[in-house]
């Protein structure tokens, strides 16, 4: 799949898949960021990506990021839509510092990854009643 991408700072490399089996490509921090305890900061990821039609670009933290840096994605995951690709639409990672210390993320650090996920949109068919049996509501498989 060919995907249009623009680097904001061309001195940093393009995102890349680190191994042949990687489904996620690593995103780099464009500038050093300091995050105070319990603070949320937007870290610029240096790229504008034109997500292909029929896909979303899902942003996730790398598995080592919480342990290595003491941060996590404030909203869990990020979703980049197909129409978020204008000149001012640099991808940013919403990072939350869950530690008691200020965390410094150095320019060029790999903290997050992007994954293209095939999606579809729904045509709603509103009904007055659902035909399936109830499973028991929220948490019904925790018994």
């Amino acid at each position: 799949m060919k995907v249009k991408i623009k680097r904001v700072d061309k001195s940093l490399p393009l995102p890349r898949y680190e191994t042949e089996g990687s489904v996620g490509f690593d995103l780099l921090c464009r500038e050093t960021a300091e995050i105070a305890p319990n603070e949320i900061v937007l870290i610029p990821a240096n790229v504008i990506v034109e997500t292909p039609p029929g896909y979303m670009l899902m942003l996730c933290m790398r598995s080592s990021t919480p342990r290595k840096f003491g941060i996590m994605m404030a909203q869990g995951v990020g979703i980049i839509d197909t129409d978020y690709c204008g000149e001012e639409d640099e991808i940013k990672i919403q990072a939350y510092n869950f530690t008691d210390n200020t965390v410094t993320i150095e320019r060029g650090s790999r903290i997050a990854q992007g994954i293209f996920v095939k999606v579809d949109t729904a045509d709603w068919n509103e009904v007055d009643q659902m035909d399936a049996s109830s499973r028991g509501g929220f948490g019904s498989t925790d018994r």
Side-chain angles (χ1 to χ4, degrees):
M1 168 171 61
K2 292 280 188 191
V3 177
K4 285 175 71 173
I5 188 169
K6 177 184 176 180
R7 286 181 289 167
V8 176
D9 178 347
K10 291 193 187 294
S11 69
L12 289 169
L14 282 169
R16 67 182 206 177
Y17 296 90
E18 290 295 324
T19 68
E20 199 172 300
S22 295
V23 296
F25 55 87
D26 290 339
L27 294 164
L28 305 176
C29 300
R30 182 168 53 83
E31 53 193 37
T32 298
E34 286 202 356
I35 311 170
N38 299 310
E39 183 180 45
I40 297 173
V41 170
L42 292 175
I43 299 175
N46 196 46
V47 291
I48 300 166
V49 176
E50 188 177 281
T51 302
Y55 287 83
M56 71 168 183
L57 174 53
M58 184 169 59
L59 306 178
C60 307
M61 282 294 181
R62 296 179 73 232
S63 59
S64 62
T65 297
R67 188 182 72 252
K68 188 174 181 181
F69 295 105
I71 62 172
M72 57 192 267
M73 231 175 202
Q75 77 281 29
V77 299
I79 295 174
I80 305 299
D81 298 308
T82 57
D83 56 357
Y84 186 78
C85 57
E87 282 297 310
E88 303 297 319
D89 294 337
E90 178 180 5
I91 291 174
K92 295 184 174 76
I93 308 303
Q94 191 172 195
Y96 168 66
N97 176 358
F98 59 82
T99 73
D100 294 330
N101 303 307
T102 297
V103 171
T104 301
I105 308 297
E106 298 294 336
R107 179 181 188 277
S109 294
R110 298 178 301 148
I111 62 165
Q113 58 187 329
I115 304 166
F116 288 104
V117 179
K118 197 159 188 54
V119 296
D120 204 349
T121 55
D123 282 329
W124 301 115
N125 178 22
E126 187 174 16
V127 298
D128 292 326
Q129 184 172 345
M130 302 304 278
D131 296 329
S133 301
S134 177
R135 285 187 15 194
F138 182 82
S140 62
T141 61
D142 291 338
R143 294 180 215 177

